[in-house]
Amino acid sequence: MKRELKLSITIFVVVFLIDQIVKFGFANLAWDVNGPYMSLKLAYNYGVAFSMFAFLEHYLKYIQLVLVLLGTLYLFKNPNVFKEYYIPTALLYAGGLSNILDRFTYGGVVDYFYWHHWFEFAIFNIADVMIDLAVVIIIFKQIKQSREEKKQNEIKS
């Protein structure tokens, strides 16, 4: 368990710091760049994914902190879950807490990747990508586990 904890802390710190440094650059150093397919353009998201719940702008940071606290309590009570999912947990916490810090620091989440070739896509950031990656890893592991259990049940039958 110590190895998993050390690795998850390392992943968390690296992802969190990279995301915050890049966001600082966009928010304070005008790093905007326009490209033919994708642009790097500062935007603030006052809601959650695709700006949903923007009407909760001032309360979202507190709601999200409560959700992180509840998730942390769940992991403390279920260390086997953390041991199985320590990498996606680290990615999820790094991305989530980085976006929450933006809400306290900038008033909204700092976004900057803007895809606009063939279709316009929502503006997003590294933290969002890490959160999505964490969800994909969790789903992949769940599907894999389900298939293994199904095989085991077929062998027993």
mmCIF file with all atom_site columns, all heavy atoms in Angstrom, residues 131-152:
data_model
loop_
_atom_site.group_PDB
_atom_site.id
_atom_site.type_symbol
_atom_site.label_atom_id
_atom_site.label_alt_id
_atom_site.label_comp_id
_atom_site.label_asym_id
_atom_site.label_entity_id
_atom_site.label_seq_id
_atom_site.pdbx_PDB_ins_code
_atom_site.Cartn_x
_atom_site.Cartn_y
_atom_site.Cartn_z
_atom_site.occupancy
_atom_site.B_iso_or_equiv
_atom_site.pdbx_formal_charge
_atom_site.auth_seq_id
_atom_site.auth_comp_id
_atom_site.auth_asym_id
_atom_site.auth_atom_id
_atom_site.pdbx_PDB_model_num
ATOM 1   N N   . ILE A 1 131 ? -9.078  14.282  -15.696 1.00 0.00 ? 131 ILE A N   1
ATOM 2   C CA  . ILE A 1 131 ? -10.315 13.758  -15.119 1.00 0.00 ? 131 ILE A CA  1
ATOM 3   C C   . ILE A 1 131 ? -10.943 12.748  -16.072 1.00 0.00 ? 131 ILE A C   1
ATOM 4   O O   . ILE A 1 131 ? -11.353 11.655  -15.663 1.00 0.00 ? 131 ILE A O   1
ATOM 5   C CB  . ILE A 1 131 ? -11.300 14.908  -14.788 1.00 0.00 ? 131 ILE A CB  1
ATOM 6   C CG1 . ILE A 1 131 ? -10.742 15.752  -13.631 1.00 0.00 ? 131 ILE A CG1 1
ATOM 7   C CG2 . ILE A 1 131 ? -12.686 14.366  -14.459 1.00 0.00 ? 131 ILE A CG2 1
ATOM 8   C CD1 . ILE A 1 131 ? -11.457 17.077  -13.426 1.00 0.00 ? 131 ILE A CD1 1
ATOM 9   N N   . ASP A 1 132 ? -11.000 13.110  -17.354 1.00 0.00 ? 132 ASP A N   1
ATOM 10  C CA  . ASP A 1 132 ? -11.548 12.184  -18.355 1.00 0.00 ? 132 ASP A CA  1
ATOM 11  C C   . ASP A 1 132 ? -10.725 10.904  -18.448 1.00 0.00 ? 132 ASP A C   1
ATOM 12  O O   . ASP A 1 132 ? -11.279 9.805   -18.543 1.00 0.00 ? 132 ASP A O   1
ATOM 13  C CB  . ASP A 1 132 ? -11.610 12.853  -19.735 1.00 0.00 ? 132 ASP A CB  1
ATOM 14  C CG  . ASP A 1 132 ? -12.636 13.973  -19.797 1.00 0.00 ? 132 ASP A CG  1
ATOM 15  O OD1 . ASP A 1 132 ? -13.514 14.028  -18.915 1.00 0.00 ? 132 ASP A OD1 1
ATOM 16  O OD2 . ASP A 1 132 ? -12.555 14.796  -20.733 1.00 0.00 ? 132 ASP A OD2 1
ATOM 17  N N   . LEU A 1 133 ? -9.397  11.046  -18.430 1.00 0.00 ? 133 LEU A N   1
ATOM 18  C CA  . LEU A 1 133 ? -8.520  9.876   -18.472 1.00 0.00 ? 133 LEU A CA  1
ATOM 19  C C   . LEU A 1 133 ? -8.768  8.975   -17.267 1.00 0.00 ? 133 LEU A C   1
ATOM 20  O O   . LEU A 1 133 ? -8.827  7.751   -17.396 1.00 0.00 ? 133 LEU A O   1
ATOM 21  C CB  . LEU A 1 133 ? -7.054  10.312  -18.529 1.00 0.00 ? 133 LEU A CB  1
ATOM 22  C CG  . LEU A 1 133 ? -6.011  9.204   -18.539 1.00 0.00 ? 133 LEU A CG  1
ATOM 23  C CD1 . LEU A 1 133 ? -6.193  8.275   -19.742 1.00 0.00 ? 133 LEU A CD1 1
ATOM 24  C CD2 . LEU A 1 133 ? -4.603  9.807   -18.522 1.00 0.00 ? 133 LEU A CD2 1
ATOM 25  N N   . ALA A 1 134 ? -8.937  9.555   -16.091 1.00 0.00 ? 134 ALA A N   1
ATOM 26  C CA  . ALA A 1 134 ? -9.217  8.778   -14.883 1.00 0.00 ? 134 ALA A CA  1
ATOM 27  C C   . ALA A 1 134 ? -10.511 7.981   -15.040 1.00 0.00 ? 134 ALA A C   1
ATOM 28  O O   . ALA A 1 134 ? -10.561 6.791   -14.698 1.00 0.00 ? 134 ALA A O   1
ATOM 29  C CB  . ALA A 1 134 ? -9.310  9.703   -13.662 1.00 0.00 ? 134 ALA A CB  1
ATOM 30  N N   . VAL A 1 135 ? -11.536 8.610   -15.574 1.00 0.00 ? 135 VAL A N   1
ATOM 31  C CA  . VAL A 1 135 ? -12.822 7.929   -15.771 1.00 0.00 ? 135 VAL A CA  1
ATOM 32  C C   . VAL A 1 135 ? -12.665 6.785   -16.769 1.00 0.00 ? 135 VAL A C   1
ATOM 33  O O   . VAL A 1 135 ? -13.192 5.684   -16.553 1.00 0.00 ? 135 VAL A O   1
ATOM 34  C CB  . VAL A 1 135 ? -13.908 8.933   -16.217 1.00 0.00 ? 135 VAL A CB  1
ATOM 35  C CG1 . VAL A 1 135 ? -15.179 8.219   -16.645 1.00 0.00 ? 135 VAL A CG1 1
ATOM 36  C CG2 . VAL A 1 135 ? -14.196 9.928   -15.092 1.00 0.00 ? 135 VAL A CG2 1
ATOM 37  N N   . VAL A 1 136 ? -11.926 7.017   -17.846 1.00 0.00 ? 136 VAL A N   1
ATOM 38  C CA  . VAL A 1 136 ? -11.692 5.959   -18.845 1.00 0.00 ? 136 VAL A CA  1
ATOM 39  C C   . VAL A 1 136 ? -10.958 4.777   -18.218 1.00 0.00 ? 136 VAL A C   1
ATOM 40  O O   . VAL A 1 136 ? -11.317 3.612   -18.448 1.00 0.00 ? 136 VAL A O   1
ATOM 41  C CB  . VAL A 1 136 ? -10.914 6.514   -20.067 1.00 0.00 ? 136 VAL A CB  1
ATOM 42  C CG1 . VAL A 1 136 ? -10.389 5.394   -20.954 1.00 0.00 ? 136 VAL A CG1 1
ATOM 43  C CG2 . VAL A 1 136 ? -11.792 7.460   -20.865 1.00 0.00 ? 136 VAL A CG2 1
ATOM 44  N N   . ILE A 1 137 ? -9.952  5.041   -17.406 1.00 0.00 ? 137 ILE A N   1
ATOM 45  C CA  . ILE A 1 137 ? -9.204  3.965   -16.739 1.00 0.00 ? 137 ILE A CA  1
ATOM 46  C C   . ILE A 1 137 ? -10.122 3.172   -15.816 1.00 0.00 ? 137 ILE A C   1
ATOM 47  O O   . ILE A 1 137 ? -10.087 1.936   -15.793 1.00 0.00 ? 137 ILE A O   1
ATOM 48  C CB  . ILE A 1 137 ? -7.990  4.524   -15.959 1.00 0.00 ? 137 ILE A CB  1
ATOM 49  C CG1 . ILE A 1 137 ? -6.945  5.077   -16.934 1.00 0.00 ? 137 ILE A CG1 1
ATOM 50  C CG2 . ILE A 1 137 ? -7.359  3.445   -15.071 1.00 0.00 ? 137 ILE A CG2 1
ATOM 51  C CD1 . ILE A 1 137 ? -5.834  5.892   -16.267 1.00 0.00 ? 137 ILE A CD1 1
ATOM 52  N N   . ILE A 1 138 ? -10.948 3.864   -15.057 1.00 0.00 ? 138 ILE A N   1
ATOM 53  C CA  . ILE A 1 138 ? -11.880 3.190   -14.143 1.00 0.00 ? 138 ILE A CA  1
ATOM 54  C C   . ILE A 1 138 ? -12.856 2.315   -14.924 1.00 0.00 ? 138 ILE A C   1
ATOM 55  O O   . ILE A 1 138 ? -13.072 1.148   -14.573 1.00 0.00 ? 138 ILE A O   1
ATOM 56  C CB  . ILE A 1 138 ? -12.628 4.214   -13.261 1.00 0.00 ? 138 ILE A CB  1
ATOM 57  C CG1 . ILE A 1 138 ? -11.656 4.858   -12.268 1.00 0.00 ? 138 ILE A CG1 1
ATOM 58  C CG2 . ILE A 1 138 ? -13.798 3.559   -12.526 1.00 0.00 ? 138 ILE A CG2 1
ATOM 59  C CD1 . ILE A 1 138 ? -12.200 6.092   -11.561 1.00 0.00 ? 138 ILE A CD1 1
ATOM 60  N N   . ILE A 1 139 ? -13.418 2.851   -15.980 1.00 0.00 ? 139 ILE A N   1
ATOM 61  C CA  . ILE A 1 139 ? -14.360 2.068   -16.800 1.00 0.00 ? 139 ILE A CA  1
ATOM 62  C C   . ILE A 1 139 ? -13.663 0.860   -17.407 1.00 0.00 ? 139 ILE A C   1
ATOM 63  O O   . ILE A 1 139 ? -14.198 -0.252  -17.388 1.00 0.00 ? 139 ILE A O   1
ATOM 64  C CB  . ILE A 1 139 ? -15.008 2.953   -17.882 1.00 0.00 ? 139 ILE A CB  1
ATOM 65  C CG1 . ILE A 1 139 ? -15.947 3.965   -17.227 1.00 0.00 ? 139 ILE A CG1 1
ATOM 66  C CG2 . ILE A 1 139 ? -15.751 2.103   -18.913 1.00 0.00 ? 139 ILE A CG2 1
ATOM 67  C CD1 . ILE A 1 139 ? -16.458 5.048   -18.175 1.00 0.00 ? 139 ILE A CD1 1
ATOM 68  N N   . PHE A 1 140 ? -12.465 1.055   -17.935 1.00 0.00 ? 140 PHE A N   1
ATOM 69  C CA  . PHE A 1 140 ? -11.698 -0.047  -18.521 1.00 0.00 ? 140 PHE A CA  1
ATOM 70  C C   . PHE A 1 140 ? -11.454 -1.145  -17.488 1.00 0.00 ? 140 PHE A C   1
ATOM 71  O O   . PHE A 1 140 ? -11.664 -2.329  -17.768 1.00 0.00 ? 140 PHE A O   1
ATOM 72  C CB  . PHE A 1 140 ? -10.367 0.463   -19.086 1.00 0.00 ? 140 PHE A CB  1
ATOM 73  C CG  . PHE A 1 140 ? -9.476  -0.623  -19.594 1.00 0.00 ? 140 PHE A CG  1
ATOM 74  C CD1 . PHE A 1 140 ? -9.703  -1.207  -20.836 1.00 0.00 ? 140 PHE A CD1 1
ATOM 75  C CD2 . PHE A 1 140 ? -8.406  -1.079  -18.821 1.00 0.00 ? 140 PHE A CD2 1
ATOM 76  C CE1 . PHE A 1 140 ? -8.891  -2.220  -21.312 1.00 0.00 ? 140 PHE A CE1 1
ATOM 77  C CE2 . PHE A 1 140 ? -7.589  -2.089  -19.284 1.00 0.00 ? 140 PHE A CE2 1
ATOM 78  C CZ  . PHE A 1 140 ? -7.825  -2.666  -20.531 1.00 0.00 ? 140 PHE A CZ  1
ATOM 79  N N   . LYS A 1 141 ? -11.020 -0.757  -16.293 1.00 0.00 ? 141 LYS A N   1
ATOM 80  C CA  . LYS A 1 141 ? -10.752 -1.736  -15.238 1.00 0.00 ? 141 LYS A CA  1
ATOM 81  C C   . LYS A 1 141 ? -12.027 -2.462  -14.817 1.00 0.00 ? 141 LYS A C   1
ATOM 82  O O   . LYS A 1 141 ? -12.008 -3.665  -14.560 1.00 0.00 ? 141 LYS A O   1
ATOM 83  C CB  . LYS A 1 141 ? -10.085 -1.059  -14.033 1.00 0.00 ? 141 LYS A CB  1
ATOM 84  C CG  . LYS A 1 141 ? -8.651  -0.640  -14.303 1.00 0.00 ? 141 LYS A CG  1
ATOM 85  C CD  . LYS A 1 141 ? -8.037  0.093   -13.123 1.00 0.00 ? 141 LYS A CD  1
ATOM 86  C CE  . LYS A 1 141 ? -7.593  -0.802  -12.038 1.00 0.00 ? 141 LYS A CE  1
ATOM 87  N NZ  . LYS A 1 141 ? -6.445  -1.634  -12.225 1.00 0.00 ? 141 LYS A NZ  1
ATOM 88  N N   . GLN A 1 142 ? -13.141 -1.744  -14.774 1.00 0.00 ? 142 GLN A N   1
ATOM 89  C CA  . GLN A 1 142 ? -14.421 -2.363  -14.414 1.00 0.00 ? 142 GLN A CA  1
ATOM 90  C C   . GLN A 1 142 ? -14.860 -3.382  -15.468 1.00 0.00 ? 142 GLN A C   1
ATOM 91  O O   . GLN A 1 142 ? -15.313 -4.472  -15.119 1.00 0.00 ? 142 GLN A O   1
ATOM 92  C CB  . GLN A 1 142 ? -15.505 -1.289  -14.263 1.00 0.00 ? 142 GLN A CB  1
ATOM 93  C CG  . GLN A 1 142 ? -15.367 -0.473  -13.011 1.00 0.00 ? 142 GLN A CG  1
ATOM 94  C CD  . GLN A 1 142 ? -15.743 -1.270  -11.782 1.00 0.00 ? 142 GLN A CD  1
ATOM 95  O OE1 . GLN A 1 142 ? -16.844 -1.782  -11.674 1.00 0.00 ? 142 GLN A OE1 1
ATOM 96  N NE2 . GLN A 1 142 ? -14.824 -1.376  -10.844 1.00 0.00 ? 142 GLN A NE2 1
ATOM 97  N N   . ILE A 1 143 ? -14.723 -3.039  -16.737 1.00 0.00 ? 143 ILE A N   1
ATOM 98  C CA  . ILE A 1 143 ? -15.082 -3.961  -17.819 1.00 0.00 ? 143 ILE A CA  1
ATOM 99  C C   . ILE A 1 143 ? -14.186 -5.190  -17.768 1.00 0.00 ? 143 ILE A C   1
ATOM 100 O O   . ILE A 1 143 ? -14.667 -6.328  -17.871 1.00 0.00 ? 143 ILE A O   1
ATOM 101 C CB  . ILE A 1 143 ? -14.995 -3.266  -19.191 1.00 0.00 ? 143 ILE A CB  1
ATOM 102 C CG1 . ILE A 1 143 ? -16.124 -2.235  -19.317 1.00 0.00 ? 143 ILE A CG1 1
ATOM 103 C CG2 . ILE A 1 143 ? -15.060 -4.283  -20.339 1.00 0.00 ? 143 ILE A CG2 1
ATOM 104 C CD1 . ILE A 1 143 ? -15.998 -1.320  -20.523 1.00 0.00 ? 143 ILE A CD1 1
ATOM 105 N N   . LYS A 1 144 ? -12.891 -4.967  -17.587 1.00 0.00 ? 144 LYS A N   1
ATOM 106 C CA  . LYS A 1 144 ? -11.935 -6.080  -17.510 1.00 0.00 ? 144 LYS A CA  1
ATOM 107 C C   . LYS A 1 144 ? -12.269 -6.998  -16.338 1.00 0.00 ? 144 LYS A C   1
ATOM 108 O O   . LYS A 1 144 ? -12.297 -8.224  -16.483 1.00 0.00 ? 144 LYS A O   1
ATOM 109 C CB  . LYS A 1 144 ? -10.517 -5.532  -17.373 1.00 0.00 ? 144 LYS A CB  1
ATOM 110 C CG  . LYS A 1 144 ? -9.438  -6.568  -17.411 1.00 0.00 ? 144 LYS A CG  1
ATOM 111 C CD  . LYS A 1 144 ? -8.070  -5.917  -17.315 1.00 0.00 ? 144 LYS A CD  1
ATOM 112 C CE  . LYS A 1 144 ? -7.001  -6.981  -17.159 1.00 0.00 ? 144 LYS A CE  1
ATOM 113 N NZ  . LYS A 1 144 ? -5.690  -6.402  -16.893 1.00 0.00 ? 144 LYS A NZ  1
ATOM 114 N N   . GLN A 1 145 ? -12.549 -6.423  -15.184 1.00 0.00 ? 145 GLN A N   1
ATOM 115 C CA  . GLN A 1 145 ? -12.900 -7.205  -13.988 1.00 0.00 ? 145 GLN A CA  1
ATOM 116 C C   . GLN A 1 145 ? -14.189 -7.983  -14.218 1.00 0.00 ? 145 GLN A C   1
ATOM 117 O O   . GLN A 1 145 ? -14.297 -9.155  -13.846 1.00 0.00 ? 145 GLN A O   1
ATOM 118 C CB  . GLN A 1 145 ? -13.030 -6.289  -12.786 1.00 0.00 ? 145 GLN A CB  1
ATOM 119 C CG  . GLN A 1 145 ? -13.332 -7.014  -11.492 1.00 0.00 ? 145 GLN A CG  1
ATOM 120 C CD  . GLN A 1 145 ? -13.491 -6.048  -10.328 1.00 0.00 ? 145 GLN A CD  1
ATOM 121 O OE1 . GLN A 1 145 ? -13.591 -4.836  -10.490 1.00 0.00 ? 145 GLN A OE1 1
ATOM 122 N NE2 . GLN A 1 145 ? -13.520 -6.609  -9.130  1.00 0.00 ? 145 GLN A NE2 1
ATOM 123 N N   . SER A 1 146 ? -15.161 -7.356  -14.842 1.00 0.00 ? 146 SER A N   1
ATOM 124 C CA  . SER A 1 146 ? -16.431 -8.012  -15.119 1.00 0.00 ? 146 SER A CA  1
ATOM 125 C C   . SER A 1 146 ? -16.242 -9.212  -16.050 1.00 0.00 ? 146 SER A C   1
ATOM 126 O O   . SER A 1 146 ? -16.830 -10.278 -15.827 1.00 0.00 ? 146 SER A O   1
ATOM 127 C CB  . SER A 1 146 ? -17.405 -7.010  -15.733 1.00 0.00 ? 146 SER A CB  1
ATOM 128 O OG  . SER A 1 146 ? -18.602 -7.642  -16.091 1.00 0.00 ? 146 SER A OG  1
ATOM 129 N N   . ARG A 1 147 ? -15.418 -9.050  -17.053 1.00 0.00 ? 147 ARG A N   1
ATOM 130 C CA  . ARG A 1 147 ? -15.155 -10.154 -17.981 1.00 0.00 ? 147 ARG A CA  1
ATOM 131 C C   . ARG A 1 147 ? -14.425 -11.304 -17.300 1.00 0.00 ? 147 ARG A C   1
ATOM 132 O O   . ARG A 1 147 ? -14.714 -12.473 -17.563 1.00 0.00 ? 147 ARG A O   1
ATOM 133 C CB  . ARG A 1 147 ? -14.348 -9.653  -19.184 1.00 0.00 ? 147 ARG A CB  1
ATOM 134 C CG  . ARG A 1 147 ? -15.180 -8.814  -20.130 1.00 0.00 ? 147 ARG A CG  1
ATOM 135 C CD  . ARG A 1 147 ? -14.385 -8.364  -21.314 1.00 0.00 ? 147 ARG A CD  1
ATOM 136 N NE  . ARG A 1 147 ? -15.223 -7.601  -22.229 1.00 0.00 ? 147 ARG A NE  1
ATOM 137 C CZ  . ARG A 1 147 ? -14.776 -6.881  -23.217 1.00 0.00 ? 147 ARG A CZ  1
ATOM 138 N NH1 . ARG A 1 147 ? -13.478 -6.821  -23.468 1.00 0.00 ? 147 ARG A NH1 1
ATOM 139 N NH2 . ARG A 1 147 ? -15.609 -6.222  -23.995 1.00 0.00 ? 147 ARG A NH2 1
ATOM 140 N N   . GLU A 1 148 ? -13.475 -10.969 -16.430 1.00 0.00 ? 148 GLU A N   1
ATOM 141 C CA  . GLU A 1 148 ? -12.751 -12.011 -15.692 1.00 0.00 ? 148 GLU A CA  1
ATOM 142 C C   . GLU A 1 148 ? -13.685 -12.776 -14.760 1.00 0.00 ? 148 GLU A C   1
ATOM 143 O O   . GLU A 1 148 ? -13.597 -13.991 -14.651 1.00 0.00 ? 148 GLU A O   1
ATOM 144 C CB  . GLU A 1 148 ? -11.589 -11.389 -14.915 1.00 0.00 ? 148 GLU A CB  1
ATOM 145 C CG  . GLU A 1 148 ? -10.431 -10.944 -15.801 1.00 0.00 ? 148 GLU A CG  1
ATOM 146 C CD  . GLU A 1 148 ? -9.379  -10.150 -15.048 1.00 0.00 ? 148 GLU A CD  1
ATOM 147 O OE1 . GLU A 1 148 ? -9.510  -9.947  -13.814 1.00 0.00 ? 148 GLU A OE1 1
ATOM 148 O OE2 . GLU A 1 148 ? -8.412  -9.716  -15.703 1.00 0.00 ? 148 GLU A OE2 1
ATOM 149 N N   . GLU A 1 149 ? -14.584 -12.060 -14.083 1.00 0.00 ? 149 GLU A N   1
ATOM 150 C CA  . GLU A 1 149 ? -15.551 -12.719 -13.203 1.00 0.00 ? 149 GLU A CA  1
ATOM 151 C C   . GLU A 1 149 ? -16.493 -13.613 -14.001 1.00 0.00 ? 149 GLU A C   1
ATOM 152 O O   . GLU A 1 149 ? -16.836 -14.709 -13.562 1.00 0.00 ? 149 GLU A O   1
ATOM 153 C CB  . GLU A 1 149 ? -16.342 -11.674 -12.419 1.00 0.00 ? 149 GLU A CB  1
ATOM 154 C CG  . GLU A 1 149 ? -15.544 -10.989 -11.335 1.00 0.00 ? 149 GLU A CG  1
ATOM 155 C CD  . GLU A 1 149 ? -16.294 -9.850  -10.668 1.00 0.00 ? 149 GLU A CD  1
ATOM 156 O OE1 . GLU A 1 149 ? -17.486 -9.599  -11.013 1.00 0.00 ? 149 GLU A OE1 1
ATOM 157 O OE2 . GLU A 1 149 ? -15.691 -9.186  -9.801  1.00 0.00 ? 149 GLU A OE2 1
ATOM 158 N N   . LYS A 1 150 ? -16.894 -13.152 -15.168 1.00 0.00 ? 150 LYS A N   1
ATOM 159 C CA  . LYS A 1 150 ? -17.763 -13.941 -16.026 1.00 0.00 ? 150 LYS A CA  1
ATOM 160 C C   . LYS A 1 150 ? -17.067 -15.230 -16.466 1.00 0.00 ? 150 LYS A C   1
ATOM 161 O O   . LYS A 1 150 ? -17.663 -16.306 -16.455 1.00 0.00 ? 150 LYS A O   1
ATOM 162 C CB  . LYS A 1 150 ? -18.182 -13.122 -17.243 1.00 0.00 ? 150 LYS A CB  1
ATOM 163 C CG  . LYS A 1 150 ? -19.258 -13.767 -18.087 1.00 0.00 ? 150 LYS A CG  1
ATOM 164 C CD  . LYS A 1 150 ? -19.706 -12.843 -19.198 1.00 0.00 ? 150 LYS A CD  1
ATOM 165 C CE  . LYS A 1 150 ? -20.782 -13.501 -20.034 1.00 0.00 ? 150 LYS A CE  1
ATOM 166 N NZ  . LYS A 1 150 ? -21.225 -12.635 -21.122 1.00 0.00 ? 150 LYS A NZ  1
ATOM 167 N N   . LYS A 1 151 ? -15.782 -15.135 -16.819 1.00 0.00 ? 151 LYS A N   1
ATOM 168 C CA  . LYS A 1 151 ? -14.994 -16.318 -17.197 1.00 0.00 ? 151 LYS A CA  1
ATOM 169 C C   . LYS A 1 151 ? -14.897 -17.307 -16.034 1.00 0.00 ? 151 LYS A C   1
ATOM 170 O O   . LYS A 1 151 ? -15.050 -18.508 -16.211 1.00 0.00 ? 151 LYS A O   1
ATOM 171 C CB  . LYS A 1 151 ? -13.579 -15.921 -17.632 1.00 0.00 ? 151 LYS A CB  1
ATOM 172 C CG  . LYS A 1 151 ? -13.402 -15.690 -19.082 1.00 0.00 ? 151 LYS A CG  1
ATOM 173 C CD  . LYS A 1 151 ? -11.943 -15.476 -19.389 1.00 0.00 ? 151 LYS A CD  1
ATOM 174 C CE  . LYS A 1 151 ? -11.752 -15.005 -20.813 1.00 0.00 ? 151 LYS A CE  1
ATOM 175 N NZ  . LYS A 1 151 ? -10.349 -14.704 -21.101 1.00 0.00 ? 151 LYS A NZ  1
ATOM 176 N N   . GLN A 1 152 ? -14.645 -16.775 -14.852 1.00 0.00 ? 152 GLN A N   1
ATOM 177 C CA  . GLN A 1 152 ? -14.527 -17.621 -13.664 1.00 0.00 ? 152 GLN A CA  1
ATOM 178 C C   . GLN A 1 152 ? -15.839 -18.350 -13.380 1.00 0.00 ? 152 GLN A C   1
ATOM 179 O O   . GLN A 1 152 ? -15.854 -19.522 -13.036 1.00 0.00 ? 152 GLN A O   1
ATOM 180 C CB  . GLN A 1 152 ? -14.111 -16.800 -12.443 1.00 0.00 ? 152 GLN A CB  1
ATOM 181 C CG  . GLN A 1 152 ? -12.701 -16.263 -12.504 1.00 0.00 ? 152 GLN A CG  1
ATOM 182 C CD  . GLN A 1 152 ? -11.659 -17.365 -12.570 1.00 0.00 ? 152 GLN A CD  1
ATOM 183 O OE1 . GLN A 1 152 ? -11.841 -18.454 -12.007 1.00 0.00 ? 152 GLN A OE1 1
ATOM 184 N NE2 . GLN A 1 152 ? -10.577 -17.119 -13.280 1.00 0.00 ? 152 GLN A NE2 1
#
